[in-house]
Amino acid sequence: SAPAGGGLAAVMDEGSQNTVVKIAASSPDHTTLVAAVQAAGLVDVLANSGPYTVFAPTNAAFEKLPAGTVENLLKPENLGQLQAILRHHVTTSVYEINELKDGEVLGMADGTSATISRKGEDVFFGDAKILGSARGSNGIVLVIDAVVPPPSK
């Protein structure tokens, strides 16, 4: 059962559904992403029914950003910017890697769009290569090797 005020995401027992949040939280390669989602207050949103496709940058993807970027984004005064970046990695449908088409444009949760490209066997979300996937009860996590910033407005 969930601790008081914990919301759906706080339910971590064996019998509960394996949501996209739990998939990321259980991955040693996604601790930076999980910390960012927690700081942005988006954990409960991603624990809801979905369906979602979450393009999940690895820790190594966050390390490719300029030094200090992640620390700066985690500051309370940068909450809006952090939320926008994270929402740019989520769409409200389920896309399996093999279903993504070259040139396909996805509407992202931040209100912008992102383009899929295929180069041989490789599939890219923006400039990030999709490395693998994990299906959850409320969507799918597609692991990517770079953080994809939202397009400039």
Side-chain angles (χ1 to χ4, degrees):
S1 68
L8 283 174
V11 180
M12 296 295 279
D13 59 78
E14 296 279 325
S16 64
Q17 298 294 310
N18 199 24
T19 64
V20 293
V21 169
K22 287 187 188 173
I23 290 169
S26 66
S27 167
D29 292 327
H30 289 91
T31 55
T32 304
L33 175 63
V34 171
V37 168
Q38 289 169 337
L42 298 174
V43 173
D44 281 339
V45 173
L46 292 173
N48 288 331
S49 59
Y52 303 108
T53 296
V54 177
F55 292 90
T58 60
N59 292 343
F62 281 101
E63 289 166 12
K64 289 182 186 178
L65 295 171
T69 301
V70 173
E71 294 76 7
N72 200 38
L73 285 170
L74 293 176
K75 292 178 180 169
E77 62 268 25
N78 295 322
L79 179 63
Q81 187 181 4
L82 177 62
Q83 288 175 335
I85 291 169
L86 293 173
R87 285 184 173 128
H88 189 66
H89 289 76
V90 178
T91 187
T92 55
S93 293
V94 173
Y95 294 96
E96 298 280 355
I97 297 171
N98 61 357
E99 296 171 346
L100 293 167
K101 309 224 177 329
D102 189 50
E104 185 170 1
V105 177
L106 304 180
M108 307 310 290
D110 67 340
T112 66
S113 59
T115 303
I116 299 298
S117 60
R118 294 181 88 82
K119 297 172 183 141
E121 294 295 309
D122 296 332
V123 183
F124 294 83
F125 166 74
D127 292 331
K129 182 178 177 182
I130 301 174
L131 304 174
S133 66
R135 191 69 190 252
S137 60
N138 67 339
I140 191 166
V141 175
L142 298 180
V143 178
I144 57 176
D145 71 352
V147 176
V148 179
S152 302
K153 295 192 171 149

